[in-house]
């Protein structure tokens, strides 16, 4: 007799990133779907990890993260956002940004709590909310600029609203929050008990002279926030799965109670390497310009195709509309691109719980020039 279990995520299958990457491998397609670079990461950072291992830094690090790394992060936050963060009580190193988001949600949510989520939303948000017995309250971003309708946010807030989730720069759309967005948010949460979870994993990958509006810039927002970051995304080492969470002491104490019984501590030599790497500000200040050049190159390469670009101001991603090409669903069209033209993308409909169709695909431009050129050449035939 088969063992019967209660599947807590019975309605959830394999992530779209795994699905499309497997298809890309099967059909030998260029993978512009999953968000990872196909070029070498910084060689100095690799050497620093090697040095740390040779120097014997291979055992458990502090549960909250290597103290020196937390100090360097606090210094960076002060430099970028003029915010004084205590590295001892307000920063925890995590195995990736997704883990930080999961832990923050699990720390806070109780069955029946409501969480405002803007769609399209990164795919881990809603399953984690539901896993904790809470209820996602879904608000669509305004197509095609993917802006927040703050009047709709006000309408959706109830006595059960525990949290508002934000993501800037935004995955999958590349949109970014403005100062006006932050002022609207400040007015909405003032004199409430609403917590903010801010996903800022693409913190440094922001374009066209725009400013990253971090919760860390605004003391009144930060005092009610979990702010999540990723080393893997900004330093081209997604396989390292290294990130961190910043939160005020009371929230961080609760976060660490969950953290200690899950991963306990993170990769030690990598933490030593990152601590040394962060000393050079240029290592993160130059990242936006590097990725903007790739975005601009890909956009130029795509101009002769029938795809229409939407605005991207940050992240690894740019959306393209295929409404002038086909009436197919996003999933069907994306699958046909892999099988028929050898280019893998991600249908944006999968970032909506109910699969909203706008005939838009997400392309990752964090690739070599050769990869982007080859992909564009193939897409010209569509």
């Amino acid at each position: 007799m088969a063992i019967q279990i209660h599947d807590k995520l019975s309605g959830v299958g394999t992530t779209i990133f795994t699905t499309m990457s497997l298809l890309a491998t099967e059909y030998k397609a260029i993978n512009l779907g999953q968000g990872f670079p196909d070029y070498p990461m910084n060689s100095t950072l690799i050497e620093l990890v090697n040095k740390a291992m040779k120097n014997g830094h291979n055992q458990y690090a502090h549960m909250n993260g290597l103290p020196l790394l937390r100090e360097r992060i606090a210094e960076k936050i002060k430099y970028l956002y003029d915010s004084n963060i205590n590295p001892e009580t307000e920063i925890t190193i995590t195995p990736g940004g997704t883990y930080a988001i999961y832990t923050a949600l699990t720390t806070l949510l109780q069955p029946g709590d409501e969480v405002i989520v803007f769609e399209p939303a990164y795919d881990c948000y809603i399953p984690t909310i539901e896993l904790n017995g809470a209820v996602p309250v879904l608000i669509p971003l305004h197509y095609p600029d993917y802006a927040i309708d703050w009047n709709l946010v006000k309408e959706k807030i109830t006595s059960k609203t525990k949290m508002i989730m934000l993501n800037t720069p935004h995955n999958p759309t590349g949109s970014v929050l403005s100062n006006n967005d932050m002022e609207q948010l400040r007015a909405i949460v003032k004199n409430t008990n609403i917590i903010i979870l801010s996903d800022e994993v693409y913190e440094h990958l922001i374009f066209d002279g725009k400013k990253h509006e971090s919760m860390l810039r605004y003391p009144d927002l930060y005092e009610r926030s979990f702010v999540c970051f990723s080393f893997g995304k900004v330093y081209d080492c997604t396989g390292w799965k290294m990130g961190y969470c910043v939160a005020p002491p009371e929230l961080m104490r609760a976060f660490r109670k969950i953290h200690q019984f899950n991963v306990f501590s993170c990769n030690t030599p990598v933490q030593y390497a990152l601590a040394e790497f962060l000393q050079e500000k240029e290592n993160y200040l130059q990242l936006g310009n590097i990725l903007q050049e790739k975005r601009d190159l890909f956009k130029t390469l795509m101009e002769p195709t029938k795809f229409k670009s939407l605005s991207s101001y940050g992240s690894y991603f740019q959306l393209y509309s295929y409404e002038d090409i086909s009436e197919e669903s996003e999933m069907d069209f994306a699958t046909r691109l892999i099988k028929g033209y050898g280019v893998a993308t991600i249908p944006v409909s999968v970032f909506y719980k109910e699969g909203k169709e706008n005939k838009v695909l997400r392309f990752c431009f964090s690739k070599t020039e050769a990869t982007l050129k080859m992909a564009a050449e193939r897409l010209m035939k569509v």
Side-chain angles (χ1 to χ4, degrees), residues 52 57-62 66 242 265-273:
H57 300 303
N58 300 301
Q59 309 310 323
Y60 290 127
H62 192 288
L66 184 72
M242 289 293 289
S265 69
C266 299
N267 188 299
T268 300
V270 167
Q271 292 189 67
Y272 273 91

Side-chain angles (χ1 to χ4, degrees), residues 62-346:
H62 192 288
M63 184 190 84
N64 302 331
L66 184 72
L68 180 60
L69 177 56
R70 286 184 277 129
E71 289 169 11
R72 295 278 161 75
I73 292 170
E75 291 169 2
K76 187 185 81 163
I77 291 171
K78 175 64 176 176
Y79 173 73
L80 290 174
Y81 309 122
D82 195 27
S83 180
N84 293 309
I85 299 298
N86 186 327
E88 183 61 31
T89 59
E90 300 178 65
I91 300 173
T92 298
I93 308 302
T94 63
T98 300
Y99 171 99
I101 293 165
Y102 179 93
T103 304
L105 289 169
T106 302
T107 297
L108 187 73
L109 297 181
Q110 299 290 339
D113 287 342
E114 293 180 353
V115 181
I116 289 177
V117 179
F118 299 100
E119 290 189 309
Y122 184 61
D123 71 337
C124 79
Y125 295 175
I126 293 172
T128 305
I129 291 166
E130 294 177 337
L131 189 63
N132 283 284
V135 180
V137 177
L138 307 177
I139 297 179
L141 296 173
H142 182 268
Y143 178 81
D145 61 350
Y146 295 99
I148 294 174
D149 182 342
W150 291 104
N151 288 325
L152 188 54
V153 176
K154 294 173 188 176
E155 293 175 13
K156 293 290 186 178
I157 289 178
T158 72
S159 60
K160 294 182 179 180
T161 303
K162 180 63 70 73
M163 174 183 282
I164 297 174
M165 293 190 72
L166 294 161
N167 176 204
T168 186
H170 188 262
N171 178 11
T173 70
S175 64
V176 299
L177 294 182
S178 67
N179 176 257
N180 179 63
D181 288 314
M182 305 303 277
E183 294 303 325
Q184 297 269 13
L185 177 63
R186 295 173 80 183
I188 286 173
V189 299
K190 186 177 181 179
N191 298 323
T192 74
N193 289 318
I194 296 172
I195 301 296
I196 296 166
L197 195 158
S198 188
D199 177 355
E200 302 181 17
V201 301
Y202 295 102
E203 169 191 26
H204 300 301
L205 310 184
I206 193 161
F207 316 138
D208 301 324
K210 291 188 177 292
K211 182 172 68 173
H212 174 53
E213 292 290 355
S214 175
M215 297 303 140
L216 297 168
R217 289 189 188 277
Y218 300 86
D220 56 330
L221 292 178
Y222 173 65
E223 70 182 7
R224 60 174 75 239
S225 293
F226 291 100
V227 194
C228 302
F229 298 92
S230 169
F231 290 114
K233 289 295 186 184
V234 297
Y235 293 134
D236 302 326
C237 50
T238 60
W240 285 13
K241 295 302 296 179
M242 289 293 289
Y244 56 101
C245 182
V246 184
E250 185 176 0
L251 293 180
M252 187 53 73
R253 278 194 296 271
F255 180 99
R256 288 172 174 175
K257 290 179 183 179
I258 306 296
H259 171 74
Q260 70 182 337
F261 294 120
N262 194 352
V263 72
F264 179 69
S265 69
C266 299
N267 188 299
T268 300
V270 167
Q271 292 189 67
Y272 273 91
L274 288 167
E276 190 165 342
F277 197 65
L278 280 175
Q279 289 185 98
E280 296 295 332
K281 294 183 177 66
E282 195 59 28
N283 286 331
Y284 54 82
L285 293 178
Q286 66 180 342
L287 296 171
N289 290 334
I290 292 171
L291 267 293
Q292 181 175 330
E293 288 177 3
K294 291 184 177 295
R295 180 206 63 177
D296 293 346
L297 171 64
F298 188 56
K299 188 174 180 180
T300 299
L301 293 170
M302 288 288 285
E303 284 176 357
T305 75
K306 296 178 182 177
F307 293 85
K308 303 300 180 185
S309 65
L310 303 183
S311 296
S312 171
Y313 297 110
S315 80
Y316 282 171
F317 310 113
Q318 180 145 25
L319 303 189
Y320 281 83
S321 168
Y322 65 87
E323 64 179 355
D324 294 337
I325 302 173
S326 173
E327 292 297 321
E328 293 167 275
S329 72
E330 292 178 8
M331 190 66 193
D332 287 346
F333 186 68
T335 301
R336 184 159 70 87
L337 283 186
I338 294 175
K339 294 180 178 180
Y341 298 92
V343 178
T345 64
I346 300 293

